[in-house]
Amino acid sequence: MPAFTPPQELKIAVIGLGYVGLPLAAALGQAMDTVGFDVNSRRIEQLRTGEDKTGEVDSAELGRAKNLTFSADEKALEGCNVFIVAVPTPVDESHRPNLAPLISASRTVGRAIQAGGVVIYESTVYPGATEEDCIPVVEEISGLKFNKDFFAGYSPERINPGDKTRPLSKIVKVTSGSTPEVADFVDEIYNRIIDAGTFKASSIRVAEASKIIENTQRDVNIALINELSIVFSHLGIDTNEVLDAAATKWNFIRLSPGLVGGHCIGVDPYYLLHKASAAGFIPDIIRTAREINDGMARNAAHRLIKKMANHGLSITGAKVLVAGFTFKENCPDTRNTKVIDLVDHLREWGMEIEIVDTWANASEVHEEYGIAIGSEMPEKGDYDAVIVAVAHEEVVRGGAESLRGLLKKNGVLLDMKAAFDVAESDLRL
């Protein structure tokens, strides 16, 4: 196998400028020549003005990236010798991995990469996807031979959208390469921008697996808490009070019940399920955890309906305010939000649903989900129920009393996030 020779001068292309790619491009652009590439020309135009609609990178940080340029034109990738792919890896309606964005990005790399180039994947995938699904595409398009003419690495993204206390530089980065020399090269690149340091995995497959189990472990743990929440609801016990008591033990893992959406925890386990099934084994715990978490929207709807009936409220035609639509608080990301499932279940019972989210982009929500949402909390109302679906600062800062002011007599306040004390709400998960 020919020895890998690191490029003398780095020119890096980051392909995909979403929640993961943009912070990475901004960090790299402070240290070395970097091209931020995205097929969405509107996104590129916006970033050129110094604005990031995701809220992950502010204008000052973009301004410090003096070596960063943005483009939606593949010609801008000419001369790049390191390509970092950070595109989404969603699932389809049947929960099967949808590698279309990843394959498309690999084709883009194939058209631009030259001999001696390195492609590094950051997108979350099942073990083997980089070398079995992506690299063959790069080979086919480029006409180059893997590990002879070009090389590869994998460094899983670990960004937590909306988390300002753990930016990219403060999260340890797992790295890997297709040869030991490439692994060292990839590790050195990330060490330039990661203050928390790096961890060099023994292979690309190990690095891929490490990422997929991070979110799978969390999904399984949350599923246990969600199942306990269902159990305790039948026993007439508040789950969060139980968790508060249990968490006084030093080794108890404190998690909260709720909807599990987003582009990571609610998606990644399906990639591992897919690969495990293809290998001849169906992992029961992972599969069951997904079923439990995917079912929490329906369970929450049923609990609300039962409480409303107990309050003497009519279900059909009931006016319900759903506060929050994104998949997590203080973040504009609505990808794979499970609030839409909750809304659909309530509408099945003939309820009139009004949705407000102070962070989400209303036009994007309408385009993706076909529903209209408001952007400001109402100052007054006569709702049969108010649901705290996402604990945005603007939703909870007025306290439970403010939300109760929006209810009619005997109206129900469902606090799905346990944002308030148990005595201040009518129902918590």
Side-chain angles (χ1 to χ4, degrees):
M1 181 181 296
F4 168 70
T5 302
Q8 292 298 310
E9 294 185 9
L10 293 181
K11 184 176 182 181
I12 298 179
V14 177
I15 299 174
L17 298 175
Y19 287 85
V20 173
L22 181 62
L24 179 63
L28 290 167
Q30 294 183 43
M32 58 200 89
D33 193 3
T34 305
V35 176
F37 176 84
D38 199 289
V39 295
N40 187 336
S41 58
R42 287 184 298 176
R43 173 72 167 156
I44 294 299
E45 292 172 6
Q46 180 189 63
L47 291 174
R48 284 173 174 168
T49 68
E51 179 187 359
D52 171 28
K53 68 176 183 178
T54 70
E56 291 299 308
V57 180
D58 60 31
S59 57
E61 187 174 356
L62 286 175
R64 290 192 295 271
K66 301 297 185 182
N67 303 306
L68 173 62
T69 58
F70 297 108
S71 182
D73 187 348
E74 287 191 18
K75 290 182 179 179
L77 301 178
E78 294 177 1
C80 291
N81 44 37
V82 176
F83 301 83
I84 301 179
V85 176
V87 297
T89 45
V91 293
D92 63 19
E93 293 181 356
S94 299
H95 297 146
R96 293 172 301 192
N98 175 9
L99 296 180
L102 201 58
I103 299 303
S104 177
S106 297
R107 291 194 181 101
T108 298
V109 172
R111 288 189 287 268
I113 197 168
Q114 299 296 315
V118 178
V119 53
I120 305 168
Y121 289 89
E122 288 216 358
S123 305
T124 304
V125 292
Y126 46 74
T130 296
E131 292 160 297
E132 297 168 9
D133 298 295
C134 300
I135 294 304
V137 174
V138 178
E139 283 188 311
E140 178 185 359
I141 300 298
S142 68
L144 302 176
K145 184 69 175 177
F146 177 49
N147 274 344
K148 178 182 178 183
D149 302 317
F150 77 96
F151 304 84
Y154 182 81
S155 181
E157 60 90 0
R158 281 178 158 176
I159 293 229
N160 186 25
D163 187 347
K164 299 305 181 183
T165 64
R166 298 181 184 86
L168 172 70
S169 64
K170 295 186 182 301
I171 304 172
V172 174
K173 203 81 164 71
V174 174
T175 66
S176 65
S178 55
T179 72
E181 295 79 13
V182 175
D184 290 340
F185 172 71
V186 172
D187 194 69
E188 192 273 333
I189 289 177
Y190 284 107
N191 259 311
R192 296 192 191 187
I193 62 171
I194 305 296
D195 297 333
T198 61
F199 180 93
K200 190 163 50 176
S202 61
S203 69
I204 288 176
R205 289 170 65 88
V206 167
E208 290 169 326
S210 74
K211 169 58 180 180
I212 205 77
I213 71 165
E214 287 177 19
N215 291 332
T216 299
Q217 181 188 65
R218 189 164 176 81
D219 193 47
V220 170
N221 287 343
I222 295 173
L224 171 61
I225 301 301
N226 275 336
E227 189 163 57
L228 290 174
S229 172
I230 296 171
V231 170
F232 292 141
S233 71
H234 287 282
L235 300 179
I237 303 172
D238 183 83
T239 303
N240 281 279
E241 288 191 309
V242 174
L243 295 173
D244 290 341
T248 59
K249 189 164 188 275
W250 71 90
N251 60 352
F252 183 82
I253 301 173
R254 179 63 159 88
L255 296 170
S256 300
L259 307 181
V260 183
H263 57 98
C264 291
I265 299 176
V267 171
D268 295 349
Y270 287 119
Y271 274 70
L272 190 53
L273 280 169
H274 169 82
K275 190 64 174 181
S277 299
F281 176 74
I282 299 177
D284 290 333
I285 292 178
I286 298 172
R287 176 183 55 79
T288 302
R290 278 284 73 231
E291 291 176 356
I292 292 171
N293 288 339
D294 274 349
M296 278 305 291
R298 181 179 295 277
N299 181 266
H302 287 172
R303 288 198 224 179
L304 175 62
I305 290 165
K306 181 179 179 180
K307 179 63 70 172
M308 290 175 64
N310 289 339
H311 280 218
L313 297 168
S314 175
I315 304 304
T316 302
K319 291 178 57 180
V320 178
L321 174 67
V322 176
F325 188 77
T326 63
F327 89 90
K328 65 182 293 186
E329 67 277 1
N330 302 327
C331 174
D333 196 347
T334 61
R335 287 177 294 174
N336 194 37
T337 176
K338 293 302 177 183
V339 178
I340 187 64
D341 294 350
L342 174 66
V343 170
D344 288 342
H345 291 314
L346 295 176
R347 283 177 171 161
E348 288 176 357
W349 288 85
M351 296 184 179
E352 298 178 8
I353 310 299
E354 180 181 337
I355 307 169
V356 171
D357 194 292
T358 54
W359 282 75
N361 184 301
S363 61
E364 290 181 0
V365 169
H366 185 268
E367 182 178 348
E368 176 69 21
Y369 297 99
I371 59 174
I373 67 170
S375 58
E376 296 182 3
M377 290 292 293
E379 296 182 359
K380 57 183 179 180
D382 190 34
Y383 298 100
D384 295 277
V386 171
I387 303 174
V388 179
V390 186
H392 291 315
E393 180 184 351
E394 298 83 358
V395 172
V396 302
R397 67 185 171 195
E401 183 178 352
S402 175
L403 296 174
R404 283 201 167 281
L406 302 175
L407 291 168
K408 65 172 54 174
K409 183 179 180 181
N410 294 332
V412 174
L413 175 59
L414 167 55
D415 180 9
M416 294 184 64
K417 308 301 291 186
F420 311 117
D421 186 79
V422 63
E424 296 181 292
S425 57
D426 301 293
L427 182 63
R428 303 198 302 185
L429 290 189

